[in-house]
Amino acid sequence: MTQAVTSLPAMPRHVAVIMDGNGRWAEKRGIPKLAGHNAGMLAMKEIIKRADIIGVKYLTVYAFSTENWKRSKEEVGGIFNLLVKYVASELAELHENQVKVRILGDYTEIPDAAVKSIEKALDTTKDNQGLQFNIALNYGGRREILQAVKEISSQVAAGTLKVDTITEETISRYLYTGEENDNLPDPDLIIRTSGEERLSNFLLWQSAYSELAFTDSLWPDFTPEEFEHIVRAFAGRKRRFGGR
Ligand code: IPE
Ligand code: IPE
Ligand code: MG
C-alpha cells in the first residue's frame, strides 16, 4: 500500500487568472498592442494545457472586462477578432481533450461573429467532463451583483421569493457562476500578472476567501512553469476561513 499520496498538499480545485500586461509587452517591443493580445492568446493556450495536466479542475480567465469598452474601437474589435480566430483554431483540440467551455458575462453584447463562435464552442463542449474552462468576457463583478439583485428583487415583487429566505447561497445562485453555469465553486486561488495588485472588478463576491498571487511577469511572458510553481506554492498555504 502506498500512503505517500495522501501527504501531497491539495491542489487548488479552481484557479482564476487575470491575464494582464499584453499592452506593456507590445510597447516594450515597439509593436502594435494587438500583437500583444495575440501573444497573450498563445500564452493562454499553454496555461490551459498545463492546468489540465496538473489536475486543476476549474480554470477561469479574465479576458475582457465591462470597463475594457473604454479602449479604442480598433483595440476592442481586434481583441474579439482574435477570440474568433482562437476558437476556430482551437475548438477541435479543446473538445478532443474533453475541455468544457463556459462564458461568464453578458456575451450577447459583443460583436456577432464572436457571439457565433462562442455559441459554437459552448454547444460543442457542453457535455465534456474534463477541465472546466471559464472565460470571463464582458465581465464585471459589480454588474454581476447588480443583475443578481435585480432578479432577486423581481422574484420578491412577484411573490415567488420571501425576503426572509434570502441567504448568501441565494445570491450565489443568481451570479454568472451560479445556476446558469452549474454553480461553479469559488476560486481557491486568483493569479494576476503584470505587477498590478488589484482585482479590477473580477469575481468580487466569489473571491471572499481566495488566495491571491501576484507576479511581475507580463501575461505573454507568463509560462506554464511559472503557473505550475504558483499553483504548487498555493498548496502549501493555510486557509483559515476566519477560524483558528
Ligand atoms: C490585458 O492586457 C488584456 C485585456 C485587458 C484585454 P492589457 O491590454 O490590459 O495590458 P496592459 O495592462 O496595457 O499592459
Ligand atoms: C483587467 O485588466 C481586465 C482583464 C485582464 C481582462 P485591465 O488592464 O483592464 O485592468 P486595470 O485597468 O489595470 O485595472
Ligand atoms: Mg492592463
Side-chain angles (χ1 to χ4, degrees):
M1 287 292 276
T2 49
Q3 290 198 313
V5 171
T6 53
S7 65
L8 278 175
M11 286 299 251
R13 194 152 67 118
H14 184 175
V15 177
V17 184
I18 302 174
M19 309 187 291
D20 197 16
N22 295 348
R24 277 162 285 172
W25 184 90
E27 216 165 279
K28 259 177 40 183
R29 286 165 177 73
I31 57 176
K33 289 236 159 47
L34 273 177
H37 291 308
N38 190 46
M41 285 283 179
L42 300 177
M44 186 179 78
K45 259 165 59 174
E46 298 307 314
I47 299 304
I48 296 169
K49 282 190 202 145
R50 186 62 65 99
D52 201 8
I53 289 168
I54 64 177
V56 169
K57 184 69 191 172
Y58 298 87
L59 177 70
T60 301
V61 299
Y62 201 5
F64 193 87
S65 77
T66 46
E67 287 70 41
N68 288 147
W69 293 105
K70 293 177 193 161
R71 300 185 182 196
S72 74
K73 257 205 172 88
E74 291 68 37
E75 184 174 356
V76 170
I79 289 172
F80 289 119
N81 284 341
L82 278 172
L83 183 80
V84 174
K85 202 178 96 181
Y86 169 78
V87 172
S89 71
E90 299 306 312
L91 183 56
E93 193 180 331
L94 291 171
H95 185 42
E96 209 165 282
N97 292 326
Q98 280 296 304
V99 175
K100 176 172 167 118
V101 180
R102 291 188 179 86
I103 301 290
L104 310 179
D106 285 326
Y107 70 85
T108 50
E109 287 173 5
I110 67 179
D112 284 347
V115 172
K116 278 209 186 76
S117 63
I118 282 165
E119 286 178 340
K120 184 171 172 208
L122 296 179
D123 190 56
T124 306
T125 66
K126 66 180 187 308
D127 298 322
N128 289 349
Q129 301 291 320
L131 177 74
Q132 306 290 295
F133 176 53
N134 313 305
I135 309 173
L137 198 63
N138 192 22
Y139 174 90
R142 287 186 171 180
R143 175 157 167 180
E144 177 182 39
I145 293 169
L146 171 66
Q147 61 86 29
V149 168
K150 284 184 175 167
E151 284 177 41
I152 291 169
S153 313
S154 38
Q155 295 270 332
V156 170
T160 50
L161 183 67
K162 284 208 168 79
V163 171
D164 292 349
T165 65
I166 298 172
T167 62
E168 291 184 6
E169 282 66 41
T170 316
I171 295 172
S172 295
R173 275 207 305 277
Y174 282 92
L175 302 176
Y176 301 129
T177 47
E179 260 162 17
E180 68 177 90
N181 278 306
D182 314 311
N183 296 307
L184 303 172
D186 289 341
D188 301 296
L189 170 66
I190 297 178
I191 302 170
R192 183 169 188 152
T193 58
S194 90
E196 309 296 350
E197 301 191 350
R198 56 176 173 267
L199 286 174
S200 300
N201 208 10
F202 190 44
L203 301 178
L204 297 182
W205 174 272
Q206 299 88 337
S207 64
Y209 273 103
S210 304
E211 297 287 331
L212 306 176
F214 302 100
T215 167
D216 287 337
S217 302
L218 300 173
W219 177 254
D221 292 329
F222 189 60
T223 60
E225 289 67 37
E226 188 178 5
F227 174 76
E228 180 169 348
H229 177 80
I230 292 173
V231 169
R232 292 200 184 279
F234 157 91
R237 295 196 197 176
K238 249 204 175 69
R239 301 171 80 197
R240 284 186 286 274
F241 300 100
R244 281 277 165 233

